[in-house]
Amino acid sequence: MTVRIGFIGAGGNSNWHMDSLAEVADAKVVAVCDLDPAKAKTTAEKWGAKAHTSHKELLAENELDCCYICIPPHQHGEPEIDVIQKGLPFFVEKPLALRMELAEDILERIEKRGINTCVGYQIRYLDICDRARKMLEGRQINAVHAHYTGGCVGGWYTRLALSGGQITEQATHLVDLMRFILGDVEWIAAAKRTGAVVTEDTLDGTTLGKGSVSSEAAGLQLHDYNIWDATAMLMQFESGVPATFICSCQAPYQWDVMFDIWTTEFRLRLSFGGMEIIHVVDGELKTEKMEAVAPKGIDATFVDAVKTGDFSQVRSHYRDAMESLRVTLTAAEAAVKGGVLSVRG
Ligand SMILES: NC(=O)c1ccc[n+]([C@@H]2O[C@H](COP(=O)([O-])OP(=O)(O)OC[C@H]3O[C@@H](n4cnc5c(N)ncnc54)[C@H](O)[C@@H]3O)[C@@H](O)[C@H]2O)c1
């Protein structure tokens, strides 16, 4: 069965998914829409698909089996509501929204219509996640620390009201990974840093890699930079594990992501590229390194789920991804209000 896919949004991330779908059997991009007609046309032509400038037109004029929603965080709402109304399973990029109320509204519709979803937390599909979860079963975890640092892409990302800032738009990958491995977060305290001078020249997201730099081209023409340069968090997981976390988008010289876990017997260091296991073997401290691979990537998993109707292999569904959003929005609130905030209010 050919899986007929419609894309809402034809920016950097969408094209990244389309490149990956080109390797997935039976996946066919049949329609693409973007508010920017030129982007819709260019991307559609590349894949022999129909171009649209409205998702309503895309949904009305094409026979689809599923949709991808890859639009900026502030644009969520109407596209999901219409895709759900159409009864289509959908892939949606993180962050799901910039307000919990909107995400809760969409979740209610999803569950009422029994719609299947897949959320763009692709790091969960790396084999190191399974290995870490297995190794940590029944172990005494002392504490964890994580950081996500790098440069700043341009465009809507630089505006708090449009992106939610780094913690909600970008470092959410790491927050989500921490939840995937350690469970839910109970409370958060946070602090923010501002004051970096950001100009066209200082914007540099190149170290962030493919799929994330598209907005870079947008530069600062439309938006004055007002997101936070850095955020630091102290968290307690419901399991009792204490954690510290920092992220910064004003370190253009190096993209660095690390999730450090100390147990009473060994230490695990996870990045998006691999994992180190640090432990004593025959009285000697050893560091074992393993490269991360995704035996089956997020796009292949989603397409197979649409084909079979079995979404059990999808690792992040809308309801769970809402909990990662809740943590990041609570962190942002704590950084503004001060004090310790409980994640579930
Ligand atoms: N999972 C990941 O690793 C990853 C990587 C990059 C981006 N993302 C996420 O993907 C989303 C898109 O990011 P991007 O880098 O592709 O941004 P982008 O700015 O390159 O592309 C977004 C596109 O959406 C279009 N658009 C906006 N509102 C629309 C609407 N209502 N209908 C149709 N098109 C609309 C814009 O014109 C733009 O072309 C963001 O939520 C971002 O966080 C995820």
Side-chain angles (χ1 to χ4, degrees), residues 34 75-76 79 123 146 153 184 197 209 215 263 266 281 303 331:
D34 196 290
Q75 287 282 346
H76 289 284
I123 308 299
V153 292
D184 276 314
V197 178
S215 313
T263 76
F266 55 79
V281 182
V303 169

Side-chain angles (χ1 to χ4, degrees), residues 39-335:
K39 278 192 184 174
K41 187 164 174 296
T42 317
T43 304
E45 278 167 3
K46 185 175 166 193
W47 302 102
K50 276 183 69 182
H52 302 273
T53 53
S54 136
H55 72 266
K56 291 180 188 291
E57 202 187 83
L58 173 136
L59 293 170
E61 296 180 11
N62 297 280
E63 281 297 316
L64 302 172
D65 298 299
C66 64
C67 264
Y68 273 68
I69 301 175
C70 306
I71 54 180
H74 64 284
Q75 287 282 346
H76 289 284
E78 194 88 359
E80 285 89 341
I81 291 169
D82 292 337
V83 168
I84 293 163
Q85 190 58 25
K86 196 83 185 176
L88 293 173
F90 63 97
F91 181 110
V92 61
E93 265 302 345
K94 45 50 48 196
L96 300 176
L98 293 181
R99 295 176 300 117
M100 284 313 291
E101 298 78 9
L102 177 59
E104 278 148 9
D105 182 284
I106 292 169
L107 179 69
E108 194 184 317
R109 296 164 192 267
I110 288 168
E111 296 190 338
K112 194 163 165 216
R113 293 290 304 267
I115 299 290
N116 285 311
T117 61
C118 174
V119 180
Y121 285 116
Q122 72 273 16
I123 308 299
R124 289 188 173 208
Y125 295 78
L126 298 176
D127 56 354
I128 54 169
C129 299
D130 300 333
R131 178 89 189 268
R133 281 159 53 115
K134 192 112 198 68
M135 288 184 71
L136 292 169
E137 272 166 21
R139 303 289 181 163
Q140 178 66 14
I141 301 172
N142 301 326
V144 305
H145 170 73
H147 66 257
Y148 190 122
T149 56
C152 183
V153 292
W156 51 263
Y157 177 74
T158 61
R159 204 70 192 162
L160 206 53
L162 306 184
S163 69
Q166 185 185 27
I167 185 71
T168 295
E169 196 282 337
Q170 195 179 59
T172 184
H173 276 298
L174 197 44
V175 168
D176 183 73
L177 178 61
M178 293 171 87
R179 285 190 54 250
F180 188 49
I181 292 182
L182 297 173
D184 276 314
V185 177
E186 188 179 336
W187 58 256
I188 297 178
K192 58 185 169 62
R193 175 67 169 157
T194 56
V197 178
V198 178
T199 65
E200 285 293 337
D201 314 329
T202 63
L203 270 183
D204 176 359
T206 43
T207 55
L208 286 165
K210 202 166 182 322
S212 302
V213 295
S214 55
S215 313
E216 186 191 343
L220 281 182
Q221 289 99 329
L222 298 177
H223 318 285
D224 294 336
Y225 171 93
N226 75 346
I227 58 174
W228 304 337
D229 309 332
T231 310
M233 292 146 63
L234 174 63
M235 298 187 277
Q236 171 106 356
F237 283 82
E238 288 177 358
S239 62
V241 173
T244 53
F245 180 110
I246 65 158
C247 62
S248 177
C249 61
Q250 288 304 322
Y253 38 82
Q254 180 200 37
W255 181 50
D256 190 28
V257 175
M258 185 56 73
F259 177 20
D260 233 323
I261 305 169
W262 287 267
T263 76
T264 48
E265 294 145 274
F266 55 79
R267 176 184 177 189
L268 299 180
R269 310 196 75 214
L270 286 84
S271 70
F272 293 171
M275 179 164 82
E276 289 178 0
I277 303 166
I278 300 163
H279 56 159
V280 173
V281 182
D282 307 331
E284 250 196 274
L285 187 65
K286 292 255 188 261
T287 300
E288 277 175 53
K289 296 190 181 201
M290 55 184 290
E291 224 177 283
V293 289
K296 190 168 181 184
I298 193 167
D299 295 296
T301 304
F302 175 63
V303 169
D304 280 2
V306 172
K307 224 190 290 183
T308 59
D310 170 10
F311 272 66
S312 61
Q313 300 311 301
V314 166
R315 293 186 171 210
S316 177
H317 300 263
Y318 202 94
R319 174 177 277 281
D320 184 79
M322 265 175 67
E323 295 314 312
S324 292
L325 177 64
R326 199 188 302 278
V327 171
T328 61
L329 294 180
T330 305
E333 194 187 342

